[in-house]
Amino acid sequence: MERSPIGVVIATRDRSASLAVTLHHLLALPERPEIVVVDNASTDDTRALVAREFPQVSVVALPFNRGAVARTHGVRALRTPYVAFSDDDSWWAPGALAEAARLFDAHPRLGLVAARTLVGPRNDPDPLNEVLAASPLGPAVDLPGTQVLGFLACASVTRRTSYLDAGGFHPLLFFGAEETLLAYDLAARGWGVTHCPEIVAHHHPSPKPRPGRPAAQRRNEVLTAWLRRPLPHALARTRELAADARRDPRARRALHETLTRLPGALRARRPLPPHVERAARLLDTEAAATRAHTGTGGTPPADAERTGDTAATADAAAGRRARAHLGGTP
């Protein structure tokens, strides 16, 4: 049997039962992908279970929890040209990986594909699907789908060379909203990041609450701003978080963790190229407009705090420039 051009990387920790369900689904795929499980120093029976019940699956055992960087260990362990990410509660629809490989073969600049995600036993569409499909960055002549600067890690497929070229997931962020920074870094290196809804992933998250996740996501959004965005934008996001921290314990935790990591973010700071910054700013403006329209609240970023016709004209011009420089239709 011909070897699949796509491998699957799963980062896991202390969720052996859920991992077993995911592996059963992945091993039943017609593409027969090579699978690498990266164990983030589990204290349960994860390694023993994989060795006993799934001997065809490779395991990379890490001595301590590396968070999202575990995926990079998996990418390095694979030698397939393309790599799909799954979490220990997600898997790919039959045929999705073959379609992804076809898109990568046909589009040499394509660096990462964000799939359409179906959630739970009822296959409910993840709300992120609609956000990605409506991206104002639009299409590009040399890429499939719609250009985006965000994705869901467990529903993404990447070109191995592009992922390693961009440096993979950043160690400073650990877990929680770590995808945006990688999308920025891929685009900054000239790789296309697109949403292709014909590629489908299934996600069955646990109903149990994850109390630390909202704070981690908020922390990482602000750290990403310090790592890649203009200083006024990063300062505005930090002020917004500090204001929320006065009344919200999750925001207080996020602020504390942000300040603890801020020296590392400043050392690793590398602002985006102007054309990628314009694209990021366009998405900021779109998100702020959506919040205002739906009444979901939140303070818009500093670079979206403009009013009147001048702002509309500037945003339209920025959008044209961003789409042109990213490869889309101006």
PDB file of all heavy atoms in Angstrom, residues 87-125:
ATOM      1  N   ASP A  87      -6.458  16.788  18.411  1.00  0.00           N
ATOM      2  CA  ASP A  87      -6.329  16.711  19.853  1.00  0.00           C
ATOM      3  C   ASP A  87      -6.807  15.330  20.281  1.00  0.00           C
ATOM      4  O   ASP A  87      -7.275  14.535  19.453  1.00  0.00           O
ATOM      5  CB  ASP A  87      -7.155  17.805  20.532  1.00  0.00           C
ATOM      6  CG  ASP A  87      -6.485  19.174  20.438  1.00  0.00           C
ATOM      7  OD1 ASP A  87      -5.305  19.234  20.043  1.00  0.00           O
ATOM      8  OD2 ASP A  87      -7.150  20.176  20.748  1.00  0.00           O
ATOM      9  N   ASP A  88      -6.707  15.036  21.580  1.00  0.00           N
ATOM     10  CA  ASP A  88      -7.143  13.717  22.021  1.00  0.00           C
ATOM     11  C   ASP A  88      -8.660  13.593  22.108  1.00  0.00           C
ATOM     12  O   ASP A  88      -9.179  12.583  22.577  1.00  0.00           O
ATOM     13  CB  ASP A  88      -6.498  13.351  23.370  1.00  0.00           C
ATOM     14  CG  ASP A  88      -6.647  14.437  24.405  1.00  0.00           C
ATOM     15  OD1 ASP A  88      -7.615  15.217  24.327  1.00  0.00           O
ATOM     16  OD2 ASP A  88      -5.785  14.518  25.305  1.00  0.00           O
ATOM     17  N   ASP A  89      -9.368  14.625  21.603  1.00  0.00           N
ATOM     18  CA  ASP A  89     -10.826  14.550  21.514  1.00  0.00           C
ATOM     19  C   ASP A  89     -11.321  14.954  20.131  1.00  0.00           C
ATOM     20  O   ASP A  89     -12.446  15.407  19.963  1.00  0.00           O
ATOM     21  CB  ASP A  89     -11.480  15.432  22.584  1.00  0.00           C
ATOM     22  CG  ASP A  89     -11.040  16.900  22.494  1.00  0.00           C
ATOM     23  OD1 ASP A  89     -10.298  17.246  21.556  1.00  0.00           O
ATOM     24  OD2 ASP A  89     -11.449  17.684  23.373  1.00  0.00           O
ATOM     25  N   SER A  90     -10.449  14.813  19.124  1.00  0.00           N
ATOM     26  CA  SER A  90     -10.850  15.206  17.765  1.00  0.00           C
ATOM     27  C   SER A  90     -10.236  14.259  16.743  1.00  0.00           C
ATOM     28  O   SER A  90      -9.224  13.600  17.011  1.00  0.00           O
ATOM     29  CB  SER A  90     -10.413  16.650  17.479  1.00  0.00           C
ATOM     30  OG  SER A  90      -9.009  16.729  17.303  1.00  0.00           O
ATOM     31  N   TRP A  91     -10.861  14.209  15.569  1.00  0.00           N
ATOM     32  CA  TRP A  91     -10.362  13.359  14.491  1.00  0.00           C
ATOM     33  C   TRP A  91     -10.853  13.910  13.158  1.00  0.00           C
ATOM     34  O   TRP A  91     -11.601  14.888  13.102  1.00  0.00           O
ATOM     35  CB  TRP A  91     -10.823  11.910  14.677  1.00  0.00           C
ATOM     36  CG  TRP A  91     -12.301  11.752  14.909  1.00  0.00           C
ATOM     37  CD1 TRP A  91     -13.298  11.647  13.982  1.00  0.00           C
ATOM     38  CD2 TRP A  91     -12.957  11.695  16.197  1.00  0.00           C
ATOM     39  NE1 TRP A  91     -14.522  11.526  14.579  1.00  0.00           N
ATOM     40  CE2 TRP A  91     -14.348  11.537  15.931  1.00  0.00           C
ATOM     41  CE3 TRP A  91     -12.515  11.742  17.517  1.00  0.00           C
ATOM     42  CZ2 TRP A  91     -15.294  11.445  16.964  1.00  0.00           C
ATOM     43  CZ3 TRP A  91     -13.450  11.651  18.537  1.00  0.00           C
ATOM     44  CH2 TRP A  91     -14.817  11.504  18.262  1.00  0.00           C
ATOM     45  N   TRP A  92     -10.423  13.279  12.071  1.00  0.00           N
ATOM     46  CA  TRP A  92     -10.710  13.771  10.725  1.00  0.00           C
ATOM     47  C   TRP A  92     -11.768  12.931  10.041  1.00  0.00           C
ATOM     48  O   TRP A  92     -11.847  11.719  10.251  1.00  0.00           O
ATOM     49  CB  TRP A  92      -9.423  13.803   9.897  1.00  0.00           C
ATOM     50  CG  TRP A  92      -8.474  14.803  10.446  1.00  0.00           C
ATOM     51  CD1 TRP A  92      -7.499  14.600  11.388  1.00  0.00           C
ATOM     52  CD2 TRP A  92      -8.457  16.197  10.152  1.00  0.00           C
ATOM     53  NE1 TRP A  92      -6.879  15.776  11.697  1.00  0.00           N
ATOM     54  CE2 TRP A  92      -7.438  16.778  10.953  1.00  0.00           C
ATOM     55  CE3 TRP A  92      -9.186  17.014   9.294  1.00  0.00           C
ATOM     56  CZ2 TRP A  92      -7.136  18.131  10.909  1.00  0.00           C
ATOM     57  CZ3 TRP A  92      -8.895  18.364   9.250  1.00  0.00           C
ATOM     58  CH2 TRP A  92      -7.876  18.908  10.042  1.00  0.00           C
ATOM     59  N   ALA A  93     -12.582  13.592   9.219  1.00  0.00           N
ATOM     60  CA  ALA A  93     -13.599  12.886   8.436  1.00  0.00           C
ATOM     61  C   ALA A  93     -12.907  12.052   7.354  1.00  0.00           C
ATOM     62  O   ALA A  93     -11.843  12.433   6.846  1.00  0.00           O
ATOM     63  CB  ALA A  93     -14.556  13.881   7.799  1.00  0.00           C
ATOM     64  N   PRO A  94     -13.479  10.907   6.995  1.00  0.00           N
ATOM     65  CA  PRO A  94     -12.902  10.112   5.901  1.00  0.00           C
ATOM     66  C   PRO A  94     -12.769  10.951   4.630  1.00  0.00           C
ATOM     67  O   PRO A  94     -13.701  11.647   4.221  1.00  0.00           O
ATOM     68  CB  PRO A  94     -13.911   8.978   5.724  1.00  0.00           C
ATOM     69  CG  PRO A  94     -14.572   8.852   7.063  1.00  0.00           C
ATOM     70  CD  PRO A  94     -14.657  10.250   7.598  1.00  0.00           C
ATOM     71  N   GLY A  95     -11.609  10.896   4.019  1.00  0.00           N
ATOM     72  CA  GLY A  95     -11.353  11.636   2.789  1.00  0.00           C
ATOM     73  C   GLY A  95     -10.825  13.038   2.995  1.00  0.00           C
ATOM     74  O   GLY A  95     -10.308  13.647   2.049  1.00  0.00           O
ATOM     75  N   ALA A  96     -10.943  13.580   4.226  1.00  0.00           N
ATOM     76  CA  ALA A  96     -10.495  14.960   4.462  1.00  0.00           C
ATOM     77  C   ALA A  96      -8.997  15.106   4.253  1.00  0.00           C
ATOM     78  O   ALA A  96      -8.532  16.093   3.665  1.00  0.00           O
ATOM     79  CB  ALA A  96     -10.884  15.395   5.872  1.00  0.00           C
ATOM     80  N   LEU A  97      -8.226  14.147   4.724  1.00  0.00           N
ATOM     81  CA  LEU A  97      -6.772  14.263   4.608  1.00  0.00           C
ATOM     82  C   LEU A  97      -6.312  14.111   3.160  1.00  0.00           C
ATOM     83  O   LEU A  97      -5.359  14.778   2.733  1.00  0.00           O
ATOM     84  CB  LEU A  97      -6.093  13.228   5.503  1.00  0.00           C
ATOM     85  CG  LEU A  97      -6.386  13.359   7.003  1.00  0.00           C
ATOM     86  CD1 LEU A  97      -5.571  12.343   7.797  1.00  0.00           C
ATOM     87  CD2 LEU A  97      -6.117  14.765   7.494  1.00  0.00           C
ATOM     88  N   ALA A  98      -6.985  13.262   2.403  1.00  0.00           N
ATOM     89  CA  ALA A  98      -6.646  13.128   0.981  1.00  0.00           C
ATOM     90  C   ALA A  98      -6.923  14.423   0.235  1.00  0.00           C
ATOM     91  O   ALA A  98      -6.138  14.850  -0.623  1.00  0.00           O
ATOM     92  CB  ALA A  98      -7.431  11.967   0.366  1.00  0.00           C
ATOM     93  N   GLU A  99      -8.036  15.075   0.566  1.00  0.00           N
ATOM     94  CA  GLU A  99      -8.353  16.352  -0.075  1.00  0.00           C
ATOM     95  C   GLU A  99      -7.343  17.422   0.320  1.00  0.00           C
ATOM     96  O   GLU A  99      -6.919  18.234  -0.513  1.00  0.00           O
ATOM     97  CB  GLU A  99      -9.762  16.787   0.313  1.00  0.00           C
ATOM     98  CG  GLU A  99     -10.195  18.147  -0.211  1.00  0.00           C
ATOM     99  CD  GLU A  99     -10.243  18.231  -1.729  1.00  0.00           C
ATOM    100  OE1 GLU A  99     -10.213  17.168  -2.395  1.00  0.00           O
ATOM    101  OE2 GLU A  99     -10.309  19.355  -2.254  1.00  0.00           O
ATOM    102  N   ALA A 100      -6.933  17.428   1.583  1.00  0.00           N
ATOM    103  CA  ALA A 100      -5.921  18.392   2.020  1.00  0.00           C
ATOM    104  C   ALA A 100      -4.612  18.181   1.259  1.00  0.00           C
ATOM    105  O   ALA A 100      -3.974  19.144   0.811  1.00  0.00           O
ATOM    106  CB  ALA A 100      -5.692  18.272   3.518  1.00  0.00           C
ATOM    107  N   ALA A 101      -4.201  16.937   1.100  1.00  0.00           N
ATOM    108  CA  ALA A 101      -2.970  16.648   0.365  1.00  0.00           C
ATOM    109  C   ALA A 101      -3.068  17.139  -1.074  1.00  0.00           C
ATOM    110  O   ALA A 101      -2.103  17.679  -1.630  1.00  0.00           O
ATOM    111  CB  ALA A 101      -2.679  15.151   0.408  1.00  0.00           C
ATOM    112  N   ARG A 102      -4.247  16.964  -1.680  1.00  0.00           N
ATOM    113  CA  ARG A 102      -4.435  17.429  -3.048  1.00  0.00           C
ATOM    114  C   ARG A 102      -4.271  18.940  -3.135  1.00  0.00           C
ATOM    115  O   ARG A 102      -3.632  19.471  -4.062  1.00  0.00           O
ATOM    116  CB  ARG A 102      -5.828  17.025  -3.545  1.00  0.00           C
ATOM    117  CG  ARG A 102      -6.082  17.339  -5.011  1.00  0.00           C
ATOM    118  CD  ARG A 102      -7.530  17.132  -5.386  1.00  0.00           C
ATOM    119  NE  ARG A 102      -8.401  18.130  -4.762  1.00  0.00           N
ATOM    120  CZ  ARG A 102      -8.524  19.383  -5.209  1.00  0.00           C
ATOM    121  NH1 ARG A 102      -7.840  19.788  -6.271  1.00  0.00           N
ATOM    122  NH2 ARG A 102      -9.330  20.225  -4.617  1.00  0.00           N
ATOM    123  N   LEU A 103      -4.819  19.662  -2.158  1.00  0.00           N
ATOM    124  CA  LEU A 103      -4.698  21.121  -2.160  1.00  0.00           C
ATOM    125  C   LEU A 103      -3.249  21.561  -1.976  1.00  0.00           C
ATOM    126  O   LEU A 103      -2.779  22.490  -2.643  1.00  0.00           O
ATOM    127  CB  LEU A 103      -5.575  21.714  -1.059  1.00  0.00           C
ATOM    128  CG  LEU A 103      -7.086  21.560  -1.234  1.00  0.00           C
ATOM    129  CD1 LEU A 103      -7.824  22.161  -0.043  1.00  0.00           C
ATOM    130  CD2 LEU A 103      -7.557  22.189  -2.534  1.00  0.00           C
ATOM    131  N   PHE A 104      -2.534  20.908  -1.071  1.00  0.00           N
ATOM    132  CA  PHE A 104      -1.127  21.266  -0.874  1.00  0.00           C
ATOM    133  C   PHE A 104      -0.301  20.963  -2.124  1.00  0.00           C
ATOM    134  O   PHE A 104       0.582  21.742  -2.496  1.00  0.00           O
ATOM    135  CB  PHE A 104      -0.553  20.524   0.330  1.00  0.00           C
ATOM    136  CG  PHE A 104      -0.914  21.122   1.659  1.00  0.00           C
ATOM    137  CD1 PHE A 104      -1.836  20.518   2.486  1.00  0.00           C
ATOM    138  CD2 PHE A 104      -0.338  22.309   2.086  1.00  0.00           C
ATOM    139  CE1 PHE A 104      -2.175  21.065   3.720  1.00  0.00           C
ATOM    140  CE2 PHE A 104      -0.661  22.877   3.308  1.00  0.00           C
ATOM    141  CZ  PHE A 104      -1.590  22.249   4.131  1.00  0.00           C
ATOM    142  N   ASP A 105      -0.567  19.839  -2.764  1.00  0.00           N
ATOM    143  CA  ASP A 105       0.154  19.500  -3.993  1.00  0.00           C
ATOM    144  C   ASP A 105      -0.079  20.548  -5.079  1.00  0.00           C
ATOM    145  O   ASP A 105       0.831  20.888  -5.843  1.00  0.00           O
ATOM    146  CB  ASP A 105      -0.307  18.130  -4.515  1.00  0.00           C
ATOM    147  CG  ASP A 105       0.232  16.974  -3.695  1.00  0.00           C
ATOM    148  OD1 ASP A 105       1.171  17.181  -2.909  1.00  0.00           O
ATOM    149  OD2 ASP A 105      -0.310  15.853  -3.841  1.00  0.00           O
ATOM    150  N   ALA A 106      -1.297  21.062  -5.144  1.00  0.00           N
ATOM    151  CA  ALA A 106      -1.676  21.979  -6.226  1.00  0.00           C
ATOM    152  C   ALA A 106      -1.289  23.421  -5.948  1.00  0.00           C
ATOM    153  O   ALA A 106      -1.293  24.246  -6.875  1.00  0.00           O
ATOM    154  CB  ALA A 106      -3.186  21.900  -6.468  1.00  0.00           C
ATOM    155  N   HIS A 107      -0.962  23.760  -4.696  1.00  0.00           N
ATOM    156  CA  HIS A 107      -0.709  25.156  -4.334  1.00  0.00           C
ATOM    157  C   HIS A 107       0.580  25.233  -3.507  1.00  0.00           C
ATOM    158  O   HIS A 107       0.548  25.115  -2.277  1.00  0.00           O
ATOM    159  CB  HIS A 107      -1.884  25.727  -3.546  1.00  0.00           C
ATOM    160  CG  HIS A 107      -3.189  25.670  -4.284  1.00  0.00           C
ATOM    161  ND1 HIS A 107      -4.030  24.584  -4.215  1.00  0.00           N
ATOM    162  CD2 HIS A 107      -3.772  26.567  -5.119  1.00  0.00           C
ATOM    163  CE1 HIS A 107      -5.090  24.816  -4.967  1.00  0.00           C
ATOM    164  NE2 HIS A 107      -4.966  25.994  -5.529  1.00  0.00           N
ATOM    165  N   PRO A 108       1.718  25.438  -4.164  1.00  0.00           N
ATOM    166  CA  PRO A 108       3.011  25.381  -3.467  1.00  0.00           C
ATOM    167  C   PRO A 108       3.187  26.407  -2.356  1.00  0.00           C
ATOM    168  O   PRO A 108       4.000  26.199  -1.455  1.00  0.00           O
ATOM    169  CB  PRO A 108       4.021  25.627  -4.595  1.00  0.00           C
ATOM    170  CG  PRO A 108       3.305  25.260  -5.851  1.00  0.00           C
ATOM    171  CD  PRO A 108       1.878  25.597  -5.621  1.00  0.00           C
ATOM    172  N   ARG A 109       2.453  27.531  -2.395  1.00  0.00           N
ATOM    173  CA  ARG A 109       2.600  28.549  -1.345  1.00  0.00           C
ATOM    174  C   ARG A 109       1.698  28.276  -0.147  1.00  0.00           C
ATOM    175  O   ARG A 109       1.811  28.952   0.884  1.00  0.00           O
ATOM    176  CB  ARG A 109       2.299  29.948  -1.917  1.00  0.00           C
ATOM    177  CG  ARG A 109       2.730  31.078  -0.985  1.00  0.00           C
ATOM    178  CD  ARG A 109       2.659  32.443  -1.679  1.00  0.00           C
ATOM    179  NE  ARG A 109       1.299  32.873  -1.936  1.00  0.00           N
ATOM    180  CZ  ARG A 109       0.554  33.545  -1.046  1.00  0.00           C
ATOM    181  NH1 ARG A 109       1.032  33.832   0.151  1.00  0.00           N
ATOM    182  NH2 ARG A 109      -0.664  33.927  -1.376  1.00  0.00           N
ATOM    183  N   LEU A 110       0.842  27.292  -0.254  1.00  0.00           N
ATOM    184  CA  LEU A 110      -0.081  27.006   0.836  1.00  0.00           C
ATOM    185  C   LEU A 110       0.681  26.443   2.030  1.00  0.00           C
ATOM    186  O   LEU A 110       1.358  25.421   1.930  1.00  0.00           O
ATOM    187  CB  LEU A 110      -1.134  26.003   0.366  1.00  0.00           C
ATOM    188  CG  LEU A 110      -2.218  25.608   1.370  1.00  0.00           C
ATOM    189  CD1 LEU A 110      -3.018  26.821   1.821  1.00  0.00           C
ATOM    190  CD2 LEU A 110      -3.145  24.555   0.763  1.00  0.00           C
ATOM    191  N   GLY A 111       0.569  27.129   3.170  1.00  0.00           N
ATOM    192  CA  GLY A 111       1.290  26.692   4.364  1.00  0.00           C
ATOM    193  C   GLY A 111       0.434  25.978   5.373  1.00  0.00           C
ATOM    194  O   GLY A 111       0.901  25.062   6.057  1.00  0.00           O
ATOM    195  N   LEU A 112      -0.829  26.405   5.506  1.00  0.00           N
ATOM    196  CA  LEU A 112      -1.716  25.791   6.498  1.00  0.00           C
ATOM    197  C   LEU A 112      -3.162  25.941   6.054  1.00  0.00           C
ATOM    198  O   LEU A 112      -3.550  26.993   5.521  1.00  0.00           O
ATOM    199  CB  LEU A 112      -1.511  26.438   7.869  1.00  0.00           C
ATOM    200  CG  LEU A 112      -2.280  25.823   9.041  1.00  0.00           C
ATOM    201  CD1 LEU A 112      -1.431  25.824  10.315  1.00  0.00           C
ATOM    202  CD2 LEU A 112      -3.592  26.578   9.305  1.00  0.00           C
ATOM    203  N   VAL A 113      -3.935  24.890   6.288  1.00  0.00           N
ATOM    204  CA  VAL A 113      -5.360  24.888   5.978  1.00  0.00           C
ATOM    205  C   VAL A 113      -6.155  24.760   7.267  1.00  0.00           C
ATOM    206  O   VAL A 113      -5.892  23.872   8.088  1.00  0.00           O
ATOM    207  CB  VAL A 113      -5.720  23.720   5.036  1.00  0.00           C
ATOM    208  CG1 VAL A 113      -7.232  23.531   4.960  1.00  0.00           C
ATOM    209  CG2 VAL A 113      -5.159  23.969   3.647  1.00  0.00           C
ATOM    210  N   ALA A 114      -7.104  25.666   7.452  1.00  0.00           N
ATOM    211  CA  ALA A 114      -8.043  25.584   8.564  1.00  0.00           C
ATOM    212  C   ALA A 114      -9.306  24.891   8.060  1.00  0.00           C
ATOM    213  O   ALA A 114      -9.941  25.350   7.106  1.00  0.00           O
ATOM    214  CB  ALA A 114      -8.384  26.984   9.074  1.00  0.00           C
ATOM    215  N   ALA A 115      -9.664  23.785   8.682  1.00  0.00           N
ATOM    216  CA  ALA A 115     -10.797  22.982   8.236  1.00  0.00           C
ATOM    217  C   ALA A 115     -12.115  23.520   8.783  1.00  0.00           C
ATOM    218  O   ALA A 115     -12.149  24.407   9.643  1.00  0.00           O
ATOM    219  CB  ALA A 115     -10.602  21.533   8.680  1.00  0.00           C
ATOM    220  N   ARG A 116     -13.201  22.959   8.302  1.00  0.00           N
ATOM    221  CA  ARG A 116     -14.526  23.168   8.901  1.00  0.00           C
ATOM    222  C   ARG A 116     -14.679  22.163  10.031  1.00  0.00           C
ATOM    223  O   ARG A 116     -14.416  20.977   9.857  1.00  0.00           O
ATOM    224  CB  ARG A 116     -15.614  22.977   7.841  1.00  0.00           C
ATOM    225  CG  ARG A 116     -17.037  23.113   8.360  1.00  0.00           C
ATOM    226  CD  ARG A 116     -18.013  23.294   7.191  1.00  0.00           C
ATOM    227  NE  ARG A 116     -17.905  22.205   6.232  1.00  0.00           N
ATOM    228  CZ  ARG A 116     -18.722  21.151   6.199  1.00  0.00           C
ATOM    229  NH1 ARG A 116     -19.684  21.012   7.090  1.00  0.00           N
ATOM    230  NH2 ARG A 116     -18.558  20.211   5.274  1.00  0.00           N
ATOM    231  N   THR A 117     -15.109  22.628  11.198  1.00  0.00           N
ATOM    232  CA  THR A 117     -15.168  21.786  12.388  1.00  0.00           C
ATOM    233  C   THR A 117     -16.615  21.490  12.759  1.00  0.00           C
ATOM    234  O   THR A 117     -17.434  22.413  12.857  1.00  0.00           O
ATOM    235  CB  THR A 117     -14.476  22.479  13.575  1.00  0.00           C
ATOM    236  OG1 THR A 117     -13.177  22.917  13.169  1.00  0.00           O
ATOM    237  CG2 THR A 117     -14.349  21.532  14.748  1.00  0.00           C
ATOM    238  N   LEU A 118     -16.903  20.211  12.960  1.00  0.00           N
ATOM    239  CA  LEU A 118     -18.221  19.764  13.416  1.00  0.00           C
ATOM    240  C   LEU A 118     -18.077  19.256  14.843  1.00  0.00           C
ATOM    241  O   LEU A 118     -17.175  18.475  15.145  1.00  0.00           O
ATOM    242  CB  LEU A 118     -18.767  18.671  12.504  1.00  0.00           C
ATOM    243  CG  LEU A 118     -18.880  19.053  11.022  1.00  0.00           C
ATOM    244  CD1 LEU A 118     -19.413  17.885  10.211  1.00  0.00           C
ATOM    245  CD2 LEU A 118     -19.768  20.289  10.838  1.00  0.00           C
ATOM    246  N   VAL A 119     -18.979  19.692  15.716  1.00  0.00           N
ATOM    247  CA  VAL A 119     -18.818  19.478  17.145  1.00  0.00           C
ATOM    248  C   VAL A 119     -19.851  18.491  17.684  1.00  0.00           C
ATOM    249  O   VAL A 119     -21.054  18.618  17.409  1.00  0.00           O
ATOM    250  CB  VAL A 119     -18.941  20.809  17.920  1.00  0.00           C
ATOM    251  CG1 VAL A 119     -18.746  20.584  19.413  1.00  0.00           C
ATOM    252  CG2 VAL A 119     -17.924  21.816  17.396  1.00  0.00           C
ATOM    253  N   GLY A 120     -19.353  17.516  18.444  1.00  0.00           N
ATOM    254  CA  GLY A 120     -20.220  16.612  19.184  1.00  0.00           C
ATOM    255  C   GLY A 120     -20.943  15.593  18.322  1.00  0.00           C
ATOM    256  O   GLY A 120     -20.791  15.557  17.094  1.00  0.00           O
ATOM    257  N   PRO A 121     -21.756  14.754  18.945  1.00  0.00           N
ATOM    258  CA  PRO A 121     -22.440  13.681  18.210  1.00  0.00           C
ATOM    259  C   PRO A 121     -23.469  14.185  17.205  1.00  0.00           C
ATOM    260  O   PRO A 121     -23.830  13.468  16.273  1.00  0.00           O
ATOM    261  CB  PRO A 121     -23.112  12.859  19.318  1.00  0.00           C
ATOM    262  CG  PRO A 121     -23.196  13.780  20.491  1.00  0.00           C
ATOM    263  CD  PRO A 121     -22.003  14.679  20.394  1.00  0.00           C
ATOM    264  N   ARG A 122     -23.943  15.421  17.369  1.00  0.00           N
ATOM    265  CA  ARG A 122     -24.915  15.974  16.421  1.00  0.00           C
ATOM    266  C   ARG A 122     -24.243  16.700  15.258  1.00  0.00           C
ATOM    267  O   ARG A 122     -24.920  17.234  14.383  1.00  0.00           O
ATOM    268  CB  ARG A 122     -25.860  16.936  17.135  1.00  0.00           C
ATOM    269  CG  ARG A 122     -26.699  16.289  18.233  1.00  0.00           C
ATOM    270  CD  ARG A 122     -27.781  17.241  18.715  1.00  0.00           C
ATOM    271  NE  ARG A 122     -27.236  18.552  19.093  1.00  0.00           N
ATOM    272  CZ  ARG A 122     -27.984  19.587  19.450  1.00  0.00           C
ATOM    273  NH1 ARG A 122     -29.302  19.467  19.453  1.00  0.00           N
ATOM    274  NH2 ARG A 122     -27.406  20.729  19.800  1.00  0.00           N
ATOM    275  N   ASN A 123     -22.929  16.739  15.248  1.00  0.00           N
ATOM    276  CA  ASN A 123     -22.180  17.417  14.188  1.00  0.00           C
ATOM    277  C   ASN A 123     -22.595  18.879  14.035  1.00  0.00           C
ATOM    278  O   ASN A 123     -22.777  19.388  12.924  1.00  0.00           O
ATOM    279  CB  ASN A 123     -22.342  16.680  12.853  1.00  0.00           C
ATOM    280  CG  ASN A 123     -21.602  15.366  12.827  1.00  0.00           C
ATOM    281  OD1 ASN A 123     -20.576  15.215  13.484  1.00  0.00           O
ATOM    282  ND2 ASN A 123     -22.116  14.403  12.078  1.00  0.00           N
ATOM    283  N   ASP A 124     -22.728  19.562  15.167  1.00  0.00           N
ATOM    284  CA  ASP A 124     -23.058  20.981  15.114  1.00  0.00           C
ATOM    285  C   ASP A 124     -21.864  21.766  14.563  1.00  0.00           C
ATOM    286  O   ASP A 124     -20.721  21.493  14.919  1.00  0.00           O
ATOM    287  CB  ASP A 124     -23.379  21.504  16.516  1.00  0.00           C
ATOM    288  CG  ASP A 124     -24.619  20.862  17.104  1.00  0.00           C
ATOM    289  OD1 ASP A 124     -25.575  20.644  16.340  1.00  0.00           O
ATOM    290  OD2 ASP A 124     -24.637  20.574  18.321  1.00  0.00           O
ATOM    291  N   PRO A 125     -22.118  22.742  13.719  1.00  0.00           N
ATOM    292  CA  PRO A 125     -20.995  23.544  13.200  1.00  0.00           C
ATOM    293  C   PRO A 125     -20.386  24.398  14.303  1.00  0.00           C
ATOM    294  O   PRO A 125     -21.106  25.048  15.065  1.00  0.00           O
ATOM    295  CB  PRO A 125     -21.638  24.401  12.110  1.00  0.00           C
ATOM    296  CG  PRO A 125     -23.092  24.434  12.443  1.00  0.00           C
ATOM    297  CD  PRO A 125     -23.408  23.135  13.117  1.00  0.00           C
TER     298      PRO A 125
END
